[in-house]
Amino acid sequence: MKKIFLVCLMPLLIFSAFAAGQQETGEKKVTLTVAGRDGSYGDSMQLAADSYSAQNPSVDFELLKLSGSSLFEKSVIDMKSGLGSYDVILVDDPNITQFQKVGWLANLSDMFKNSGKSVDSGFIGSVLKLGKYPYTNDGPLFALPFAGNVELFAYRTDLFEKYNLEAPDTWDQVLTAVKTIDENEADVNGVVFRGSKGNPIVTGFLPIFWSYGAKILDDNGNVTVNSPEALNALNYFLKLAKYAPEGVSMYQSAQVKDAIYSGKAAVVTEVWPGWINKLEDPTESAVVGKVKVIKHPGQVEKSSPMIGVWMIAIPEASKNKEAAFDFINFATSEATQDDMAKQFGNPPTRGVVYGRAELTKKYPWYPAQLDALNNGVARTRTTKWKEIEAQMGTALQFALIGERTAEEALADAEKGIIEVLK
Amino acid sequence: MTQNKYQKSCFFYLILLPAVLVMLWLTIYPVLNVFTLSFFKYNYLSDEKVFVGLGNYIKLLKENLFMEAFRNTLVFSVLATAGEVILGIALALLFYGHFRGKKSFMIIAIFPMMVSSMVICAVWKTLYHYDIGLINFLLRETGAQPVGWLIDQSKALFSVVIIDVWQWTPFAFIMMQAAMGSIPEEIFEAAQIDGASYMKTVFSITMPILSDQIMLLIMLRTIDTFKLFGKVYALTQGGPGNSTETLSYYIYREGFSYFNLGKASTASIFVLLVVAGISFIYIGKILKKD
């Protein structure tokens, strides 16, 4: 009797398991797995996913909030294996080149064409271009810009006024201001930046490097890091670093943020939108109304802020490409970008959002941020960027801590980068 | 009778086979795979795979960063192991015997070992902070100069050693405490009657009896410290300069940041050989005694 009961029960269980995957309307449930970032990017992605689910009840989300390095590792392992565990991934913009060289991302240009849609023109041109491979205006698109991150420059207006210093247009003016304030203000450091080796120090240095007219690789891929322009830039950087706090060589974003918010820094040569979104909040900041955020000064060349956009893409192996395509369009739409900026300070990738009165009141540096995105410089498009950055970062830090002269450091960087590119 | 015995053995081997196969799959296969990869220039991301023979080994031995990482790992391993073993033995001698509050002390003593390394690093990073750290605050209060614990190239590795010693001395202490508990008390009583001093008892009786356990402790701590990764990752990321670069951190970066699996495999084989060499020396000594 028991056996007969079990035999009858089994098909019922199997049927109910299948039925659970169907909507009452008969529509099939889709679960999109998103590999994204932690922090405010993660909160913004959560907001986008929740809003999308509210409008599309047949779509659920599994959202992974990962650190930058963990996201990279997991994305590479998944895409290489072709398992298609992730339907949507966030990609740091230089990695688009690396991923697409081996064809891991879905071609969005084709998907737009097949769906009868086109990429709308509201995206900031320089930012949208980062999703193209090859990196040309006409190249096919493999990712949409999710977070319009760009490096900015911050200085204390009250201290600049106190010492009759001009708003800095050139790096020379920055050095004069930093020296003046550092020598006269006992509790304030003239300048603060991330000095940790690898990505942090390179990121902080690149706007100086580029504005002195230096390049890591030329247009033909030759290593040009050890040039007279690069030497001028590094010598300038080392002069500036004399007014940085003791231990700046180990400073990470936490220490830099702490220095800005507590008012311990007169000039910060590297800030990111995600770091400064509470600068005007008196419960978090001791410098409300006292810090101006601008795009970087220029020198020989024009201002050259570094663009570091988080792109949103669909792995080629995803099993839910259509739903993923619809979602990434939603997440980068004007309305969602507006909501994410309002609630979590996610830097928008659409020009029109930067013009919203409510947002410019909350984030007074938005015009400068838009200007920086329009005029920023993208990191070198190469599959070896991470290794190049490591070589450059080690050499720069050796110069910063006085172990190598500027000339020796650049020669080391050149040698290391040539070895990497072999 | 012999045939029966043979059948019995066959049966035992047969039922052991699945476990042996799983073990081989989980241990021997990955090592062989890593060993094979070490002869290739292989980038997992781009799928470029070229046989280079001993090329990776030669390249690594010529690479400054790798050699610095090797030297740092060796210095760290020797200092941390020595510190932990010496302090562990000293504490075990100090707290030998029965006294009130011993249980409470033991619980407090093993606490650092129970806490996650990442939490420990976060706490120590604050303590070591140049401007706002407690240690430098105390130094300033006493009129001394603050120390760049994690920012001075000449001190950063030693600062990491201090944290490791703080975390793992309890392990050495507990191990030595257990070993000392197994020594019959009559031996000490006899030594006392014969008029042996405390130091004489420690160095002529306790230490020789505990030598096997000390050797085992040294081996375990050497192997563990040689694999130093978490503390470097959380505290210094290999800096300042290359002063805290270690072999494990080097392998991690080559393997998971650059996905140069050939080079990472070569460095892993290098570590495996060194650790295996150290283990064989210790095991050989222990077996020789047996």
Side-chain angles (χ1 to χ4, degrees):
Chain A
M1 187 62 194
K2 264 185 187 173
K3 274 183 186 170
I4 295 168
F5 176 71
L6 280 172
V7 168
C8 294
L9 192 66
M10 286 274 263
L12 276 173
L13 282 171
I14 293 165
F15 176 74
S16 59
F18 276 105
Q22 307 279 322
Q23 286 285 87
E24 277 177 19
T25 55
E27 205 178 344
K28 204 183 167 198
K29 268 261 184 209
V30 172
T31 300
L32 289 180
T33 306
V34 181
R37 280 296 315 272
D38 49 6
S40 62
Y41 303 120
D43 294 336
S44 300
M45 186 67 89
Q46 186 74 61
L47 175 78
D50 292 346
S51 310
Y52 187 81
S53 272
Q55 289 178 25
N56 302 275
S58 61
V59 180
D60 275 343
F61 284 89
E62 196 177 325
L63 185 55
L64 280 78
K65 296 178 180 179
L66 306 164
S67 69
S69 54
S70 178
L71 172 62
F72 179 71
E73 282 164 37
K74 284 186 181 354
S75 307
V76 168
I77 292 167
D78 177 64
M79 290 193 286
K80 168 83 178 177
S81 65
L83 285 173
S85 313
Y86 305 133
D87 300 304
V88 172
I89 54 167
L90 275 193
V91 187
D92 192 9
D93 73 72
N95 297 337
I96 296 286
T97 309
Q98 210 167 13
F99 290 174
Q100 207 36 46
K101 179 111 193 247
V102 281
W104 285 350
L105 302 175
N107 187 325
L108 299 186
S109 294
D110 287 349
M111 293 182 92
F112 272 113
K113 206 172 158 187
N114 295 338
S115 64
K117 293 178 189 167
S118 59
V119 189
D120 72 66
S121 54
F123 288 112
I124 299 160
S126 57
V127 169
L128 184 66
K129 189 181 166 188
L130 297 169
K132 295 183 176 182
Y133 180 85
Y135 181 61
T136 58
N137 288 323
D138 306 324
L141 189 69
F142 291 92
L144 290 174
F146 176 78
N149 239 0
V150 65
E151 198 175 339
L152 295 163
F153 177 96
Y155 69 96
R156 286 275 298 276
T157 47
D158 56 332
L159 294 173
F160 269 60
E161 273 170 30
K162 187 176 171 184
Y163 296 103
N164 290 321
L165 297 161
E166 284 176 52
D169 275 334
T170 65
W171 284 107
D172 283 341
Q173 286 174 319
V174 173
L175 185 61
T176 309
V178 163
K179 185 173 182 284
T180 309
I181 298 171
D182 194 81
E183 285 171 356
N184 291 291
E185 294 285 328
D187 294 331
V188 179
N189 290 298
V191 66
V192 169
F193 53 85
R194 288 190 298 166
S196 286
K197 78 172 187 168
N199 167 279
I201 193 167
V202 175
T203 307
F205 178 62
L206 282 178
I208 300 174
F209 183 76
W210 286 326
S211 65
Y212 269 83
K215 276 184 173 183
I216 297 175
L217 303 179
D218 67 12
D219 295 339
N220 300 317
N222 299 312
V223 182
T224 52
V225 75
N226 192 9
S227 63
E229 293 83 8
L231 186 62
N232 289 339
L234 185 50
N235 277 327
Y236 171 83
F237 179 65
L238 296 176
K239 272 187 214 162
L240 195 66
K242 283 181 188 158
Y243 305 102
E246 192 80 39
V248 74
S249 61
M250 293 302 280
Y251 268 35
Q252 296 271 16
S253 53
Q255 288 77 32
V256 176
K257 269 155 72 176
D258 181 53
I260 314 169
Y261 280 80
S262 63
K264 290 249 164 100
V267 165
V268 184
T269 56
E270 180 207 5
V271 290
W272 291 90
W275 298 2
I276 50 175
N277 53 7
K278 288 182 179 152
L279 207 54
E280 299 305 314
D281 178 352
T283 59
E284 303 264 349
S285 165
V287 287
V288 174
K290 291 178 182 170
V291 175
K292 187 156 189 191
V293 179
I294 58 170
K295 73 174 179 178
H296 288 86
Q299 187 68 23
V300 180
E301 295 286 333
K302 67 177 180 66
S303 165
S304 310
M306 190 191 103
I307 297 180
V309 173
W310 282 99
M311 310 295 290
I312 191 165
I314 304 168
E316 183 62 43
S318 161
K319 293 171 189 85
N320 299 303
K321 275 193 213 160
E322 274 181 36
F325 180 65
D326 198 45
F327 172 67
I328 66 168
N329 276 296
F330 176 84
T332 54
S333 67
E334 201 180 303
T336 312
Q337 289 274 307
D338 193 38
D339 279 349
M340 292 191 298
K342 264 184 218 155
Q343 293 197 39
F344 302 110
N346 190 63
T349 53
R350 289 171 173 273
V352 70
V353 182
Y354 283 96
R356 298 266 152 83
E358 195 185 340
L359 288 173
T360 45
K361 194 179 169 196
K362 196 172 180 186
Y363 311 119
W365 54 86
Y366 260 23
Q369 196 171 316
L370 179 60
D371 189 10
L373 279 171
N374 278 319
N375 294 291
V377 182
R379 283 164 282 180
T380 314
R381 303 285 109 175
T382 160
T383 55
K384 299 275 187 182
W385 173 250
K386 271 179 183 283
E387 287 166 82
I388 290 174
E389 190 181 60
Q391 293 295 334
M392 184 90 179
T394 304
L396 285 176
Q397 212 203 31
F398 271 108
L400 181 66
I401 60 177
E403 282 289 305
R404 308 287 276 167
T405 63
E407 288 85 353
E408 288 168 344
L410 288 175
D412 290 348
E414 183 183 38
K415 194 178 156 201
I417 295 170
I418 288 172
E419 189 62 34
V420 163
L421 294 176
K422 261 184 192 171
Chain B
M1 187 68 184
T2 321
Q3 199 185 351
N4 193 19
K5 210 172 172 183
Y6 173 75
Q7 277 174 344
K8 235 179 176 178
S9 311
C10 276
F11 174 71
F12 285 131
Y13 285 126
L14 205 68
I15 57 167
L16 267 176
L17 191 66
V20 170
L21 285 178
V22 169
M23 207 185 79
L24 287 176
W25 176 254
L26 292 175
T27 55
I28 308 292
Y29 171 73
V31 173
L32 283 179
N33 202 20
V34 167
F35 184 68
T36 312
L37 276 180
S38 72
F39 298 108
F40 287 86
K41 184 182 179 187
Y42 175 43
N43 188 282
Y44 178 77
L45 219 149
S46 63
D47 231 2
E48 289 163 25
K49 198 173 182 182
V50 184
F51 180 77
V52 289
L54 291 172
N56 284 338
Y57 289 88
I58 295 163
K59 206 173 174 182
L60 277 189
L61 292 172
K62 283 182 181 170
E63 192 180 307
N64 283 343
L65 180 61
F66 180 78
M67 292 317 287
E68 277 183 71
F70 180 62
R71 197 175 55 229
N72 290 338
T73 308
L74 210 61
V75 170
F76 177 86
S77 186
V78 169
L79 291 180
T81 304
E84 286 155 24
V85 172
I86 292 168
L87 281 173
I89 293 170
L91 283 172
L93 288 170
L94 197 65
F95 292 96
Y96 179 67
H98 304 283
F99 58 88
R100 240 181 116 169
K102 188 176 175 180
K103 271 186 189 168
S104 312
F105 173 79
M106 294 289 277
I107 291 167
I108 295 166
I110 62 168
F111 185 72
M113 213 170 72
M114 288 155 47
V115 183
S116 143
S117 281
M118 289 299 133
V119 176
I120 286 172
C121 288
V123 172
W124 276 90
K125 202 170 182 176
T126 315
L127 290 174
Y128 276 150
H129 195 286
Y130 187 83
D131 292 318
I132 56 162
L134 179 69
I135 303 174
N136 276 355
F137 169 77
L138 293 173
L139 286 174
R140 282 193 195 99
E141 286 297 298
T142 53
Q145 285 294 312
V147 175
W149 298 100
L150 294 174
I151 60 177
D152 184 335
Q153 236 193 329
S154 62
K155 296 182 182 72
L157 188 67
F158 301 104
S159 303
V160 184
V161 170
I162 291 171
I163 302 175
D164 202 76
V165 169
W166 179 82
Q167 187 183 9
W168 290 107
T169 295
F171 173 73
F173 165 51
I174 287 170
M175 230 178 126
M176 286 299 101
Q177 177 87 1
M180 282 175 70
S182 65
I183 304 173
E185 282 185 26
E186 293 80 6
I187 297 177
F188 297 116
E189 284 165 11
Q192 216 171 3
I193 291 163
D194 289 343
S197 67
Y198 178 73
M199 294 309 276
K200 186 98 181 158
T201 312
V202 167
F203 288 105
S204 303
I205 298 173
T206 316
M207 290 298 122
I209 293 174
L210 293 182
S211 62
D212 283 355
Q213 283 91 337
I214 292 172
M215 201 61 91
L216 179 69
L217 178 63
I218 292 172
M219 184 182 82
L220 292 176
R221 290 312 304 147
T222 309
I223 292 171
D224 191 48
T225 51
F226 214 82
K227 294 184 292 190
L228 171 71
F229 172 75
K231 292 186 180 77
V232 168
Y233 183 78
L235 289 167
T236 60
Q237 309 255 309
N242 291 333
S243 62
T244 57
E245 282 286 346
T246 63
L247 288 176
S248 297
Y249 193 64
Y250 179 94
I251 293 166
Y252 165 77
R253 207 177 28 232
E254 283 294 333
F256 292 100
S257 268
Y258 313 150
F259 286 96
N260 286 330
L261 293 197
K263 209 170 164 193
S265 299
T266 312
S268 303
I269 292 294
F270 206 93
V271 174
L272 183 73
L273 288 176
V274 174
V275 170
I278 294 166
S279 307
F280 284 136
I281 294 169
Y282 291 135
I283 291 169
K285 279 193 174 179
I286 292 169
L287 289 179
K288 210 174 172 185
K289 277 190 175 179
D290 285 347

